[in-house]
Amino acid sequence: LTWFDRTGKSLGSVGEPDENGLLYPELSPDGRRLAVLRAVQNNADVWLMDLLRGGLTRLTSDPGLDQMAIWSPDGMRIAFMSNRKGALNLYMTSANGAGGEELVLESPAQKNAQDWSKDGRWLLFVENSVQSARDLWVLDLTSPDRKPRPVVNGPAEERGGQFSPDGHWIAYEPNESA
């Protein structure tokens, strides 16, 4: 993994080359750790890289595909998607690995976490179902029922969703012309 400045100049590398590959890097809010997908012996899991001291630590260890980690704003939790129950569902775990993994949202549709609101309340995700293209949804993590709510649900694909810094807007990529 290599750092670049805005002009494209290489500023240095992080970690050692990894024969298993490091995919989908996600920098922690404090910039000290990196969550990545790493497959070891055909088991893809979320791993954490310590950017100050070096080294990798496995965060998830289920035989299913665990990937696409998103850090909570305080850096204490990580949301990720996993196919351990068939469809890609949303899970959450403590960033230090204590307490196990919690199933956050399960449905037949594939889901992929996109962003976490700065106040920690909303988890933004893309759902890809048979009935529609990729749509943006939010999940209220403070609500006991955790019922997902549509953000953009139309015939076009919407993905790459990100909350604005103040949390009042969501930017995303549609695949249709204006």
Side-chain angles (χ1 to χ4, degrees):
L1 298 171
T2 304
W3 293 101
F4 291 91
D5 70 12
R6 292 179 185 261
T7 67
K9 179 184 170 193
S10 174
L11 300 175
S13 295
V14 176
E16 299 294 323
D18 192 295
E19 66 188 28
N20 299 299
L22 303 175
L23 301 172
Y24 310 117
E26 181 76 16
L27 190 63
S28 66
D30 65 7
R32 300 170 58 124
R33 295 175 292 170
L34 194 66
V36 296
L37 165 68
R38 183 173 186 241
V40 176
Q41 297 175 341
N42 294 321
N43 184 18
D45 285 300
V46 176
W47 289 67
L48 299 181
M49 177 185 285
D50 187 318
L51 298 177
L52 301 178
R53 294 177 285 198
L56 286 163
T57 305
R58 183 185 298 230
L59 185 65
T60 65
S61 58
D62 188 88
L65 170 67
D66 298 338
Q67 64 175 339
M68 306 295 286
I70 301 290
W71 292 88
S72 66
D74 63 5
M76 301 299 289
R77 296 176 292 163
I78 292 179
F80 62 96
M81 65 184 199
S82 177
N83 68 352
R84 55 184 76 176
K85 287 189 160 194
L88 288 168
N89 291 305
L90 296 177
Y91 289 79
M92 190 177 347
T93 189
S94 170
N96 66 13
E101 299 148 10
E102 171 190 2
L103 177 61
V104 176
L105 180 61
E106 180 180 12
S107 72
Q110 308 289 349
K111 291 158 288 307
N112 182 0
Q114 300 284 292
D115 197 15
W116 209 315
S117 64
K118 302 301 179 234
D119 63 3
R121 178 177 179 183
W122 302 101
L123 186 63
L124 181 66
F125 65 97
V126 167
E127 182 175 275
N128 190 14
S129 67
V130 176
Q131 295 82 15
S132 66
R134 291 182 177 114
D135 293 316
L136 280 176
W137 294 73
V138 290
L139 188 64
D140 184 349
L141 297 173
T142 64
S143 172
D145 67 354
R146 288 193 178 161
K147 184 177 178 185
R149 299 179 190 179
V151 174
V152 183
N153 189 356
E157 285 191 7
E158 298 86 22
R159 58 183 164 196
Q162 295 287 300
F163 286 102
S164 64
D166 66 5
H168 292 110
W169 300 94
I170 295 174
Y172 62 92
E173 306 167 44
N175 72 343
E176 66 180 351
S177 301

